[in-house]
Structures are given as structure tokens and as C-alpha cells.
Amino acid sequence: MPTTAQGDTDVGTPTRILDAAERIVQARGFNAFSYGDVAVELGITTAALHYHYPRKAELGRALITRYTSRFAARLKALDDASGSAQAKLDGYVGIYAQVLAQGKMCLCGMLAAEYLTLSESMQTAVREFFEHNEIWLGQVLEQGKADGSMRFTGEVEDIAKMIISGLEGAMLVSMAYGSVERFMKVAASLLASLH
Amino acid sequence: MPTTAQGDTDVGTPTRILDAAERIVQARGFNAFSYGDVAVELGITTAALHYHYPRKAELGRALITRYTSRFAARLKALDDASGSAQAKLDGYVGIYAQVLAQGKMCLCGMLAAEYLTLSESMQTAVREFFEHNEIWLGQVLEQGKADGSMRFTGEVEDIAKMIISGLEGAMLVSMAYGSVERFMKVAASLLASLH
DNA sequence: GTCTATACAGCGATAGAC
DNA sequence: GTCTATCGCTGTATAGAC
């Protein structure tokens, strides 16, 4: 029997920990983030946090896997809802813009900068995020190429890498300006060559 | 009378501090970097470091200003040596590739990720780096447009922002793969649309 | 599952001798 | 200009009571 009644949003402590940690890490980075930050926000002690995530690297790993699976769900939603390849790409850019509008980096973009300081487990999970995105972008590009709506020279894989790199970089630089507009302009220039 | 004899390379302690700190920050980030790291490498104590740079934020600021002025010197060298706009752009990409080949991020790209944790003085200096680069890139693009070697739609400023964002992002993601090849492929795709 | 208490290491920074 | 010594704080992590 679950401890939450019907109608409850069922946010257990582990979820609340991940929510707070995710936001802090996306804004300030994994190395500038501490158990203390989360503890204060949740009104519990750091000892309680360690009960759920004994080591910081394990918390970090959980952060990435949840982020990646949520991201995958949004990409699937784009597949289901959007007809054209262009609409899917626009939706993809929109996901990034939403994150930036909250003053945050992409979690895995942030972690890529700190890559050399991460545990092996976190490093692997970060790479998997990028690879998953590249595969999805590749499929969208193939679709656009097949139906004639997109034109590009070079391998689909390389264009996919360019798009994700370009968007991550646009987020990165835009962090220094707190400007979603800047991000949107760069994204538009980036994708303009595909028309 | 200088304390260094003729023929000495004249690397004082402040320079050696900046050299070590710069490399560590570019590889691991400002928040994962400590006075202790530099002290061990230079064989002096952290107290000696504080004599030269009393506060970490001041060391950070010095790091950025030196990096930016060195970068400016390299851009000027490209202006002096390269005739075509395309050659200048290739040289620009080459600078980034050289850094990445040493397992490092662009200093200011790294600091952009940590932006919200930096002192105001460092934040300002980071933005100045990007603005300086955008101006230079804008001039190159104008040159390419004027002599007919480059074609693009949209504002020159936006294309310049796209190029620096794209290259920074390519470095960022490539950090997770330790792959200069990946970076070069993305850079090529990024600039292909200008031909 | 959360608490108090604590261990222990590392950090930035300072005082004062040399 | 560099040292020894030290301070105060923060960080991750653990033990054991409740």
C-alpha cells in the first residue's frame, strides 16, 4: 500500500532532491553545487540526503539519467505531434530556449564543461545523452532530406553534431548575457543553411 | 636593473602562476581549481600565491585579461598574414583546434558555464572576450561579403555570434570525447554554409 | 527516513618571521 | 618574495539515536 493517497502528486524525497539539485547544477555547475544547498532548500539535513544518495557521484548519475529519459520523452512527443522535419527541429530548439529562459544551461552541456572532474559513471551518462540526441536529430534530417524540405551537403551525422554543438554553444554564451533572444538568433542562423 | 640576466626567458612568478592556473582552469574549470593545485606545481606555498594574487577572483580576472589580449594578438597576426577572409576564418578555427588538442576548453567558454558563480569583475571580462571576438569575426565576414567570396543572409553580427557560439559549443561537446576530429568536422559543417 | 553529532579533508585567506 | 603556522569555514561523508 503506497503512502500517498489518490490525488497526491506523489513527489517523494528522492524526486524533490533531484529537482532541487538539477536546477542548481544547471545554473551553477556540479562543482559549485553542494549537499548543503539542497538540504537548505528542502528543509532537511545533509545526513538525510546521504540516505537517499550516499555519494555525490551517485546523485549526479541519477540526475543525468533522469534528465536524459525526460528529454527522450519530449523528443518522442515531438515525433508524435509534429508532421514536418522543420516543425520537429523548431520544437527541438524550443526545448533549449525554455531551459535558457529559466537562466539554466542544458544539464549535460554544463557537465561537459566539467567533464574531466566527473566520475566515470557520470562521464559515460553524459556521452549517452549527446549520442541519443544525435541519433534523433539524424532521423529528423533524414526525413527532411527524403521529403525534399531540407538541403545539405555532407554526412547526416556531421550535421546532427553541428546542430547540437551549435545549440549547446549558443546556450553557453547566452548564459553570460542572460539573453534568450541572443540564443534564438543564433539558432535561426544555425538552421538557416538547411533550408 | 632587472633581476634577470641577458638570455633569460624572464618568467617571473606571477607569469608562472598564471600559466599553471590557466591550464588547470581550462581543463577543469574555475570552481574545481584551487591555489593548492598551483602551489604544488610551482613548488611554492599557497601563502606565496596570495602575495601575488591576494584573492582568487583577482587571479581569475588577471587570467581572463591576459587570455583576451593574447587572443587579440593572434587575431591581429591573422589579419597581417592572411589575405582572404576564408584564410582568416580557417586560422581562427585553427586556434580553437590547438587549444582542444591539449585537452582544454577555451578559457572564456569554460567560464561562461560557471558564469553565475563568478565575481562581477570576472563576468565583465568574460563578456568582453566574446564581444571582441564578435567584432573581429564581423570584420572578416564583411570582407568576405565585399569581395564576393562569402554569401550569407541575415545580419553580419548574427553570423558572427553563430560562429563563435558554434565553435565554443563544438569544443564543449568535444571535451566529452577528447576528439579534435569531431571538432573539426563540426567546424567545417558550420562554415560550409558561408561558401 | 530523518535527526544530532562528528570526523576529516580541503579551501581561501591572514599574521608574522625570515 | 617566500616561509611556517594557523584561522574559520565549507564540503563530503559516517555513526548511531529516534
Side-chain angles (χ1 to χ4, degrees), chain B residues 15 57 59 105 119 179 193:
Chain B
T15 297
L59 170 54
M105 263 291 284
S119 69
S179 164
S193 60

Side-chain angles (χ1 to χ4, degrees), chain A residues 27-28 31-32 109-110 112-113 115-117 127 131 134 158 161-162 165 169 172 176-177 182 185 189-190 193, chain B residues 27-28 31-32 109-110 112-113 115-117 127 131 134 158 161-162 165 169 172 176-177 182 185 189-190 193:
Chain A
R28 303 171 49 87
N31 290 322
M110 179 64 83
Y115 191 79
L116 296 179
T117 72
R127 283 199 308 272
E131 281 147 25
E134 281 168 29
D158 292 340
K161 286 180 171 62
M162 179 201 72
S165 294
L172 184 73
Y177 293 92
R182 183 191 172 100
K185 279 186 176 176
S189 297
L190 205 60
S193 59
Chain B
R28 303 171 50 85
N31 290 322
M110 178 66 82
Y115 191 80
L116 295 179
T117 71
R127 283 199 307 271
E131 281 147 26
E134 281 169 28
D158 291 341
K161 285 180 172 62
M162 180 202 72
S165 294
L172 183 73
Y177 293 92
R182 184 191 171 99
K185 278 186 177 176
S189 297
L190 206 59
S193 60

Side-chain angles (χ1 to χ4, degrees), chain A residues 137-148:
Chain A
L137 283 169
Q139 289 167 348
V140 173
L141 291 170
E142 293 283 13
Q143 177 190 341
K145 191 177 192 177
D147 68 20

